[in-house]
Structure formats: C-alpha cells, structure tokens
Amino acid sequence: LHFGSGRGGSTRREVVSAVYDNDRSKELQTRLDEAREPTHLIDLVQELQWDDEFAHDRVMAMIADGSLKGELKVDGDTYVPRVYAEVQRQGVDEFYSANGYVNAELVISLGLPASNMGQYVRESF
C-alpha cells in the first residue's frame, strides 16, 4: 500500500504489485531517457497520473545506480539529461576558446549556474 503526501501536494493511496511498480519505473525511465532538455517531474507526474513522491524517489534511485544519465537540479523537481548539460557546456567552451572570456549572461543563457562560472573555466582550461 503506497501512502503519499507528494512533493506537489498530491496524496494517493494505492495497492500495487511488484510487477506494476516495476512497469511504472520502466515507463518513467523510458520517458526521461528520451528527454533532450530539462524536464519538470511534476508535469510528467501529472500527465501519467502518478504520485510525485514515487517519481522523485525512482529518479533519484536511477541516477544513483547509473541507469539514468542525468541529474536533478537543486529544486529536486527538474531532471536535466546529461546530453543537454554536455551541449550547454560545449557552447561555453567554444565561446571561451574563440573569445578568451565568458560572461555571466552567456553562462546563464546556456542553463549553467553563474555561481560556478569561475570554477568551471578553471577546470576546463
């Protein structure tokens, strides 16, 4: 029996089999594997009519075991696929290599945290 007071305020009660639970996990992984840009878990949860706590816990577990390639942003509700993050970082790298500098506006526009800009440039070049 799943009891949840979900992260988005939802509460669901359901009795599910291990097979059903596993199938939901696979569906979630498939949807996120196909993502090419940041995905808000709450939107996916609402679309699939699931408990958001279930989705968040499963995403955290899949990231931890390496079966899902990406990360959750600090807010815990936005999944960022690794391929998206790599493309954004590549854009910063190319600009810095061509121009010898990078500014906060560019970093932010590419979805990278400006607070880590200096550290990123030091580590990359």
Side-chain angles (χ1 to χ4, degrees):
L1 180 60
H2 287 274
F3 291 98
S5 60
R7 297 168 57 84
S10 67
T11 301
R12 293 178 55 103
R13 295 176 183 213
E14 52 190 14
V15 177
V16 299
S17 69
V19 171
Y20 179 79
D21 197 49
N22 190 40
D23 287 347
R24 287 198 313 178
S25 292
K26 286 180 183 177
E27 171 70 14
L28 183 61
Q29 182 170 358
T30 298
R31 297 289 292 269
L32 293 175
D33 279 341
E34 293 171 352
R36 296 295 173 246
E37 58 187 38
T39 301
H40 297 284
L41 292 183
I42 194 71
D43 295 339
L44 185 57
V45 164
Q46 289 172 349
E47 179 184 332
L48 299 171
Q49 298 180 356
W50 292 346
D51 180 76
D52 49 350
E53 189 97 8
F54 165 85
H56 184 267
D57 292 348
R58 289 304 191 269
V59 170
M60 292 295 293
M62 288 185 277
I63 289 170
D65 72 16
S67 61
L68 189 59
K69 308 297 185 218
E71 63 186 17
L72 282 179
K73 282 192 165 189
V74 177
D75 67 9
D77 293 323
T78 304
Y79 171 74
V80 180
R82 182 175 294 158
V83 66
Y84 176 83
E86 289 171 355
V87 167
Q88 300 310 303
R89 287 184 182 102
Q90 182 180 359
V92 171
D93 291 351
E94 289 172 359
F95 185 91
Y96 185 81
S97 293
N99 299 296
Y101 77 96
V102 65
N103 60 34
E105 290 79 22
L106 174 65
V107 171
I108 292 168
S109 74
L110 293 174
L112 300 172
S115 60
N116 295 341
M117 184 172 60
Q119 177 185 351
Y120 175 74
V121 170
R122 281 190 300 278
E123 291 173 357
S124 296
F125 299 97

